[in-house]
Amino acid sequence: MLRDPSVKYRPFPQIDLPDRQWPSKTITRAPRWLSTDMRDGNQALIDPMDSEKKQRFFDMLVRLGVKEIEVGFPSAGAVEFDFISGLVRSGTIPDDVTIQILTQSRRDLIETSFKSLEGAPRAIVHLYNAVSPAWRKIVFGMDRQQIKQIAIEGAMIVRDEAAKRPETDWSFEYSPETFSTAELDFSLEVCESVMDVLRPTPEKPIIFNLPATVECATPNIYADQIEWFGRNIPNRDSVVISLHAHNDRGTGVAATELGLMAGADRVEGCLLGNGERTGNVDLVTVALNLYTQGVDPGLDFSDIDSVVKTVEYCTGIATHPRQPYVGDLVFTAFSGSHQDAIKKGFVVQEQRNDQFWEVPYLPIDPADLGRSYEAVIRVNSQSGKGGVAWVLEQDKGLKLPKRMQGDLSRHVQALADENSRELHAADIWGAFQTAYHLEGPQRFMLGDYEETRASNGDRIFVGRITVDGVERWVSGRGNGLISSVIAALKEQCGIELDVVDFSEHALSGGSDAQAAAYVECRTAAGKTVFGVGIDADVATASVRAVLGAANGV
């Protein structure tokens, strides 16, 4: 890398728009959406989609509620042409969905494109040619007038081809490709010339797509470009301004959002950000960003995992685990403090009187996307007691007392350090069973028992307990069941415990629900021990919890 990059790279110039309005705007409604997955996204694949995958992708887009779908580049080859014409002939395009095709501004390509759409009830023909200085000088060797003439001639051919096919309801889109790096006055001049040919009306507007074909500036500059264009294009009510942001600088989503604030009406992009180089803007992220601001995006991502699986199958591209909203780790916390905050947030959320979402670290409710809470918190060596307890609560229904959470965390931490990997729910459950003597032979194991009441109101516990492998009968007296079990252990087994804390709860609803009981005890030597009991009978669960604490002495 250069020590002084300014000798090779120039800062992008600011737009002269001192009274810009977009910074104070708020997005209050969803734009029109165009998916270009099957064209822009498809052409960027190592192995482009075949017809089966394209049909699968198309059907998914329809289910999601996308109403405008760019289905291909029919002049690119037989596979593209045949799929588009077959889709039209199949009669499966819903009445509220409009397909779109892309064509360069050349007569033979435009004519081929219209042939692929013959018989379509409605369609958008998207015409483009590059207009920026680098393309004019380096790629085409043409001046401004020659570039503008390409656009004019292409628009005339589009107009005439559409007129030959009056059975189709045609709409037109024009892109001054490389708009974001072109002179604004020239982009405007070219678009005005195309308008003069196609003569849009408020009832039949033209779509002007203003692409950041290559993202070369900060998002605020793109917003300035969009606002400037919207102010200066004539007959604005006959124009739909469409955004097509690429992600070369990593700010495609930001550029799109600021572009909408600047007055754009439509957004073109790909699901999960597929596309050339670093990709097109991610429609999922833009749509769900709107959703988290209380704006209905008009797209249904309530089963986001199925969307991810379909996109991965059709594109052959794996989704990054931290891809916004959809990655495997985006609703996951490893940090102990994060886990604790999320756990508390869910508890408070359940108790709130209003429905507004407010859970720390989670800008959206995972359930809205079809995700379960079981994966929200995951455990490794960095995790804290709140995360461990949350996994147990979600997986097993156990609501551990706070001090017991801290005790269990030590056991889980040791296991994580020993394994040097993330711990799954099964690992945590295994550590819990081991720590609190719920599995395998133990020093104290409960057989059957009876509880009776003495004449003075005391409770009497009489039970068959296996102690160190030998079955024996023990009994004790106290003011309650737990104290009578404590007395039996002290008098007949030599185990002295004082109860510090006790709690219990049902693990689920219904008549067959099991109960969980938790006890914290202190030994004569001052050691703290915990016990857990799980049983269909809450009293039996309490006895098991006391014996579990005795097993920890």
Side-chain angles (χ1 to χ4, degrees), residues 464-481:
R464 184 167 49 86
I465 296 177
T466 299
V467 181
D468 295 326
V470 178
E471 188 175 273
R472 58 191 290 188
W473 286 90
V474 299
S475 64
R477 179 189 291 254
N479 60 9
L481 177 60

Side-chain angles (χ1 to χ4, degrees), residues 501-521:
D501 185 54
F502 173 81
S503 62
E504 54 86 15
H505 65 84
L507 289 177
S508 61
S511 59
D512 59 346
Q514 287 194 309
Y518 313 95
V519 63
E520 177 185 350
C521 298

Side-chain angles (χ1 to χ4, degrees), residues 183-301:
E183 308 93 335
L184 282 172
D185 66 321
F186 183 55
S187 294
L188 182 71
E189 181 183 337
V190 174
C191 289
E192 288 175 335
S193 298
V194 170
M195 287 182 77
D196 290 341
V197 174
L198 297 177
R199 298 190 175 280
T201 66
E203 296 73 32
K204 201 67 171 175
I206 188 171
I207 301 168
F208 281 137
N209 183 42
L210 306 179
T213 306
V214 180
E215 188 178 42
C216 293
T218 51
N220 60 297
I221 289 180
Y222 187 55
D224 281 349
Q225 293 171 325
I226 300 302
E227 181 171 331
W228 186 95
F229 185 92
R231 289 191 192 184
N232 288 279
I233 191 72
N235 303 319
R236 178 65 177 89
D237 60 352
S238 299
V239 171
V240 172
I241 294 180
S242 191
L243 306 175
H244 185 114
H246 278 258
N247 203 41
D248 298 272
R249 291 171 53 90
T251 57
V253 169
T256 298
E257 292 180 326
L258 298 191
L260 290 172
M261 292 163 60
D265 310 293
R266 185 175 184 255
V267 170
E268 303 186 7
C270 294
L271 301 183
L272 311 188
N274 185 29
E276 297 281 12
R277 304 178 310 282
T278 55
N280 289 47
V281 69
D282 177 6
L283 293 186
V284 176
T285 299
V286 177
L288 292 179
N289 282 356
L290 289 177
Y291 182 81
T292 64
Q293 303 303 300
V295 177
D296 179 8
L299 301 177
D300 183 6
F301 292 118

Side-chain angles (χ1 to χ4, degrees), residues 121-133:
R122 74 204 69 79
I124 301 170
V125 176
H126 182 183
L127 178 74
Y128 78 96
N129 66 300
V131 299
S132 66

Side-chain angles (χ1 to χ4, degrees), residues 55 66 294:
Q55 186 65 55
V66 181

Side-chain angles (χ1 to χ4, degrees), residues 350-403:
E350 292 178 359
Q351 299 170 348
R352 288 165 61 96
N353 293 324
D354 61 63
Q355 298 301 311
F356 287 105
W357 179 253
E358 190 177 21
V359 174
Y361 296 111
L362 295 180
I364 191 172
D365 184 349
D368 289 355
L369 306 181
R371 290 283 183 87
S372 69
Y373 294 140
E374 294 159 17
V376 168
I377 296 177
R378 289 160 65 168
V379 176
N380 63 12
S381 61
Q382 302 299 309
S383 302
K385 62 181 185 294
V388 173
W390 177 256
V391 171
L392 276 178
E393 182 175 345
Q394 297 305 304
D395 200 47
K396 300 296 182 182
L398 296 168
K399 300 177 181 179
L400 273 59
K402 189 165 186 178
R403 284 192 293 270

